[in-house]
Amino acid sequence: MKPGGGSFEEGPENVLSFARRERRWCQGNLQHARLIFAPGLRAGAGLSFCRNVTAYVVSLLWAAFLITSAISTLYAPPPEYFPGPYQLFPVFPDTSTREITLLALGVLGLLVVPKLLILLHAILTKRARDFGRSLRMSLSVLTEIVLTTLLAPLMLLYHSRAVLQVLSGQDGGWPANQRNEGRLSLADGWAAGRWIVFIGAAIIAAVQWVAPDLTIWLLPVAVPMLLAPLLIAWTSRPLPRTLFAVPEDAAPLDVVAEYDSICDVWRLTWNYEHLMAKPKAADLTHAPA
């Protein structure tokens, strides 16, 4: 590639590749924590380091929130409907419905509303034409929301494990990326995600024993964990071309076109050499015993 020709990098092809990349990035970002309050550093740079660290530590905070919510039910006092000695009408305990509703709306506002606003802006400004037009772009956004929702519990565990490994001093190194890993079988998904299945089953069993009323609320987190092997294998399959269309699909960048042409030459060369290396039938007939 000639100098100044540009560069291009695709994202990981499956959940396992994504988790390995996240492990490397987690170690690099956590190492930057010591620079947040470094003297002479601009406030914006320190804030950027803090945000990058929080992006991974937040998984541990989410896990701690779930564990604390379940354990808190053990120490909650039983409801007392008639606290007064001569009270005629019962006093029902506070269900914190308002706080729970605000929390749910806050999470929805942070994670989903910005994506929908970007979609609306792209449709109104005609930019959706570059991403497969309005309908295809809308389907892509909705599919992305569903996929990230299903994979969020898996990434919770991958990120939590990565943070704990880094804090315990385990150096993950910086191994080379594995490109073109392609599809993963269900056996591959089970081999890589069975520990997630065991954790999901343990969560449901523990919550059912400690606080049965919370079981239904933890199903959105625990069920994807139980389906981890299936999700790992299924998400490694290529999606239809009607989804996640980008402008580069219609007009590939020069660096991508050059890469494809180089790969085509390598592929033809390998096929030719492999074909020439095969012994002919006549050679096999006259080969010595």
Side-chain angles (χ1 to χ4, degrees), residues 1-207:
M1 193 67 187
K2 61 183 180 180
S7 62
F8 189 87
E9 182 180 4
E10 293 181 332
E13 295 182 339
N14 50 60
V15 174
L16 302 184
S17 298
F18 182 73
R20 284 195 292 268
R21 190 188 70 173
E22 289 293 287
R23 173 63 176 85
R24 296 193 301 270
W25 288 7
C26 174
Q27 180 167 335
N29 286 356
L30 293 186
Q31 288 173 345
H32 293 159
R34 66 188 66 179
L35 301 177
I36 295 177
F37 300 104
L41 195 65
R42 293 183 178 180
L47 181 61
S48 178
F49 286 139
C50 182
R51 183 185 61 214
N52 294 336
V53 171
T54 307
Y56 293 95
V57 177
V58 71
S59 294
L60 281 179
L61 297 179
W62 182 20
F65 171 76
L66 296 176
I67 295 173
T68 304
S69 299
I71 295 178
S72 63
T73 59
L74 295 176
Y75 300 95
E80 187 176 0
Y81 298 102
F82 296 94
Y86 304 104
Q87 188 169 336
L88 297 178
F89 300 99
V91 176
F92 294 98
D94 184 15
T95 59
S96 302
T97 302
R98 179 173 176 272
E99 289 77 5
I100 295 175
T101 303
L102 291 176
L103 177 61
L105 292 177
V107 173
L108 183 68
L110 287 173
L111 300 180
V112 178
V113 172
K115 300 176 182 179
L116 298 180
L117 291 178
I118 293 173
L119 171 63
L120 179 62
H121 180 267
I123 294 175
L124 295 178
T125 58
K126 309 299 183 182
R127 289 193 60 218
R129 294 177 299 181
D130 299 331
F131 297 89
R133 299 189 179 276
S134 300
L135 179 59
R136 291 176 61 184
M137 186 177 181
S138 300
L139 290 175
S140 298
V141 172
L142 293 178
T143 303
E144 189 273 341
I145 292 174
V146 172
L147 286 176
T148 52
T149 301
L150 291 174
L151 295 177
L154 276 64
M155 298 314 302
L156 160 68
L157 294 181
Y158 278 122
H159 283 173
S160 298
R161 184 178 67 174
V163 172
L164 293 176
Q165 288 175 344
V166 174
L167 294 180
S168 63
Q170 301 182 40
D171 188 355
W174 200 267
N177 294 333
Q178 299 294 329
R179 301 298 183 184
N180 299 323
E181 287 183 299
R183 300 184 179 184
L184 298 174
S185 65
L186 192 58
D188 296 330
W190 171 254
R194 59 176 177 264
W195 65 280
I196 300 178
V197 176
F198 296 150
I199 291 179
I203 289 175
I204 292 181
V207 172

